[in-house]
Structure formats: C-alpha cells, structure tokens
Amino acid sequence: MSYDISALRKFVSPEIVFGAGSRKAVANFASNFGARHVFLVSDPGVEKAGWVAEIVDILVSAGIRVTLFTGVSPNPKVDEVMAGAELYRSNECDVIVAIGGGSPMDCAKGIGIVSAHGRSILEFEGVDTVTSPSPPMILIPTTAGTSADVSQFAIISDPDRRFKFSIISKAVVPDVALIDPEVTETMDAYLTACTGVDALVHAIEAYVSTGSGPLTDTNALEAIRLINRNLEPLVRNTADAHLREQVMLASMQAGLAFSNAILGAVHAMSHSLGGFLDLPHGLCNALLLEHVVAYNYTAAEDRFRRVAEAMDIDTRGMSKPVIKHRLMERIIALKGAVGLEAKLAKLGVTTSDIPYLSGFALQDPCILTNPRKSSRRDVEVVYAEAL
C-alpha cells in the first residue's frame, strides 16, 4: 500500500510540567533518571538572580552531587559548548539540568550532543545529524520566549564565521521541561519585551510555515492570541503573576508549534544577523517581523487572515490588501508599545553588510519552510527595508 509521506505529521515534545513552583520537582526528575552527579548549566545573570543557588540546594538536599557551569554568553559559542562538555566528562556527570533563557538551554543541548559523541559541536550543524542519544536533560526556562525547553532546535554561534548555526534533531528535545512562571519574575521589562516578541514570531512563522498542520496550528493561534492580549500589560507591570503565567503559556505553545512546523525567513535572517552582530535574538526577530510578513503575505493570504483575527482584528468585509495593512499596523503598534522600535541601521548594520547577511540567511534551514520561496535578491530587499 502506498501513502503520501508529505501528508504525515509527527509531533515531538518533552514531558512538560507547567505551573508556579514546578522547578522544585527538579530533584524528583533527576532521581528518576538515576542521577548521582548533575551537570548544572546556567549563566551569570541567572546566578545573580538567585535561581541557581535554589536549584543546587534542591539537588544537594536530595543527595545528588552538582557541578556548576555558568560560562555561557548571551549567544552561546562553540568553545563554550566544548568547555562545558569537557567539564561534564572530567567530572563523570550523568544528567544535565539547565536553568536560564535560550542561551544556557541551547548550550546544555550542545554539551549533551558533544558528551554523547566525543566530537566537535561544529560537526552537527543541520538536520538529523545526531546519531547517539544525549544524557537525560531537564530544562527550566527563566524567560518566556525562546522555548528551547520544548524544541528540537539548538542554536550555537560560531565566532570564526560570525554565524549562528542550527542543529535540528529529535535528539535535542529535552526529556523534561519544568515551566515555572515564578522564575520569570526577575526579567526586566526590556527582556520581557524581547522574549515575548520572539514567542510571537515563533507562533506566526509556525502558523504560515509549509510544515504546519493540525497538530501545530491550534498551539500557534492560541499563542498569538495570548501574546497579543497579555504582553503589553506585562511589560508595563512585570510583577503581575497572572500576566506572567499567560505569556509563559503562550511561549510554551509557540515552542511546541515551531519545534514541529519549523519556522521561516524571519528566523533565517535573524540567525544571520545575531551571529554577525551578537545582538539579542528576540530583538533581531522584532526588527524584521513586519517586513517578512509583507513579503510572505501573498503566499499565505488565508493563513495571515487568521493570524490577524488572532490579533483581535475584525476582518469581516475587509479586502486582502486591507487585512495586510491592518495586520502590519498591529504588529508595529505592539512592538512600539513594548519599546522595540529600533531599525537595523541604528544597531550598526550598513547596506554593504546586506549581501553577507543574505548569503548566510539562505543557508539557514528555517528558510526551507518559509511560505514564499526566497532568492538571495528577495532576502536582500527585505533586509534593506528593515534598515
């Protein structure tokens, strides 16, 4: 019997525990994996906020040894992954726990891959290159946006090429995600805005992706709705526990959507930009979003109409060009309200950088599921519009 493989959809996700206080289950899960010596990955900011000490206490109280690794930059680099993997090996650790934003979580995923294979992380660039299972991995996100805690992506920076490369594999989906809105209370308004818009981009790109399907669509649309309604008030009042929980839930749903439907040109261009200038990933996405929406609109008009409706735009009786205009207006207004209005030129991008950036964007696997096929010239034009 023959069947159409393109019509099949798989959906991968970790075991998820969502809710205030879920981080405190870390020792139970580590023990379930037979942990004797946990390798804990984080970064200096999360450590300063006090979350690392709490996790260490919980693990040590359960009789589990801990080796701490906080040598992670805001965009994790190849040598940091390799240094972490060497420390993991020399201390004979057996389970990886990461607490932090996308950077410590991506670094932890890289450390897991290297410790399982004993080879450079550079050898795993691309899709399905991982052949051996990583050690058990428990991720605790401290930001509501990157969704590394639920995804099959790890994004690593290669400073030699000034390029961020993607590793996409079921093997990098963590075993457990402890998604605890309480740990996002130490995020400032700017980081809340950056990561919240990152989650919005995840949801929009996943919904219009050529890899989308019924298993990802419901998550993507609900994430768009939640962010559209809750991100602005949260940025104004980061202490509001209910709003934090709503945006954290949105981030998780956006992550489940994009991990399985993959992304599009915003992320391909943003990875190139973030590798080139070492900028916050969420900010790069924010600066490109409406320009890519405008470029993609004609290739997925019905889908973008549903995105507009999820952003509380009443599209009844509207022509397609009007819907496009209103959607872009709403995206720009939301970005403005949360303070992400800069242009690429302000961040140091010049016209002469665009060919270089475009070359790397076209090599990114995210471009493959963009709803409109993109040539180098297309990508150059979109970068130019965002300058």
Side-chain angles (χ1 to χ4, degrees):
M1 191 177 109
S2 67
Y3 56 89
D4 178 9
I5 193 95
S6 67
L8 299 179
R9 290 283 179 263
K10 67 171 184 174
F11 191 91
V12 293
S13 89
E15 182 173 352
I16 295 171
V17 185
F18 182 92
S22 59
R23 69 188 181 282
K24 294 173 182 169
V26 64
N28 302 5
F29 280 100
S31 300
N32 290 348
F33 292 126
R36 286 187 297 277
H37 194 156
V38 159
F39 191 72
L40 179 59
V41 182
S42 192
D43 66 26
V46 176
E47 188 171 27
K48 202 165 141 204
W51 299 116
V52 171
E54 186 191 19
I55 298 300
V56 170
D57 283 347
I58 291 168
L59 291 167
V60 170
S61 303
I64 299 169
R65 291 177 63 199
V66 178
T67 290
L68 179 61
F69 177 70
T70 56
V72 184
S73 317
N75 287 310
K77 296 177 177 54
V78 169
D79 59 345
E80 294 165 357
V81 171
M82 299 311 290
E86 176 52 37
L87 191 61
Y88 177 94
R89 191 193 59 76
S90 61
N91 283 295
E92 297 179 348
C93 298
D94 46 21
V95 168
I96 297 175
V97 174
I99 179 162
S103 303
M105 291 193 287
D106 279 348
C107 192
K109 290 176 172 188
I111 289 165
I113 292 168
V114 173
S115 62
H117 294 79
R119 308 202 316 270
S120 168
I121 193 65
L122 287 164
E123 293 181 36
F124 299 94
E125 183 175 332
V127 181
D128 289 337
T129 56
V130 180
T131 52
S132 301
S134 292
M137 194 168 302
I138 303 166
L139 301 191
I140 308 168
T142 57
T143 62
T146 66
S147 309
D149 48 292
V150 297
S151 82
Q152 54 179 333
F153 279 69
I155 310 293
I156 309 294
S157 280
D158 178 2
D160 290 346
R161 288 183 291 170
R162 286 180 76 178
F163 174 58
K164 285 170 94 164
F165 65 92
S166 304
I167 300 169
I168 305 173
S169 167
K170 248 198 342 260
V172 298
V173 177
D175 298 279
V176 178
L178 302 177
I179 303 179
D180 187 341
E182 283 181 356
V183 297
T184 64
E185 71 191 24
T186 46
M187 286 204 302
D188 61 18
Y190 176 70
L191 188 58
T192 302
C194 274
T195 52
V197 171
D198 189 18
L200 177 66
V201 176
H202 288 155
I204 293 174
E205 289 218 287
Y207 189 67
V208 301
S209 154
T210 57
S212 66
L215 297 172
T216 57
D217 285 352
T218 46
N219 282 301
L221 288 175
E222 182 59 14
I224 294 166
R225 263 193 289 277
L226 286 169
I227 292 165
N228 184 60
R229 290 176 187 175
N230 295 289
L231 185 60
E232 284 178 55
L234 176 60
V235 169
R236 283 197 301 272
N237 178 17
T238 54
D240 188 308
H242 173 71
L243 293 172
R244 268 208 315 275
E245 189 165 282
Q246 295 299 294
V247 174
M248 196 72 168
L249 185 61
S251 167
M252 180 198 81
Q253 291 190 282
L256 290 171
F258 92 76
S259 177
N260 290 285
I262 316 300
L263 292 155
V266 178
H267 270 80
M269 294 171 68
S270 162
H271 289 154
S272 175
L273 203 53
F276 184 64
L277 287 175
D278 207 19
L279 295 164
H281 172 68
L283 177 64
C284 294
N285 280 342
L287 302 187
L288 295 163
L289 178 56
E290 71 269 21
H291 304 287
V292 175
V293 168
Y295 171 75
N296 281 336
Y297 190 82
T298 52
E301 286 173 329
D302 281 349
R303 294 226 144 214
F304 279 116
R305 177 176 54 75
R306 290 196 283 276
V307 169
E309 287 162 0
M311 295 188 82
D312 291 329
I313 296 165
D314 184 351
T315 63
R316 284 174 301 184
M318 274 188 200
S319 67
K320 286 169 180 173
V322 172
I323 295 171
K324 174 184 175 182
H325 178 69
R326 288 292 304 282
L327 175 58
M328 288 178 64
E329 264 186 351
R330 175 61 196 135
I331 289 168
I332 292 163
L334 176 61
K335 281 170 37 174
V338 300
L340 298 181
E341 288 178 293
K343 292 285 199 196
L344 292 185
K346 217 174 205 163
L347 301 175
V349 180
T350 64
T351 313
S352 59
D353 296 327
I354 287 176
Y356 179 89
L357 291 168
S358 302
F360 276 126
L362 284 173
Q363 289 173 35
D364 192 286
C366 292
I367 203 92
L368 299 175
T369 45
N370 193 61
R372 185 174 165 191
K373 285 282 162 270
S374 317
S375 69
R376 185 164 180 149
R377 180 79 195 115
D378 294 330
V379 174
E380 288 176 354
V381 167
V382 178
Y383 272 128
E385 283 168 358
L387 274 182

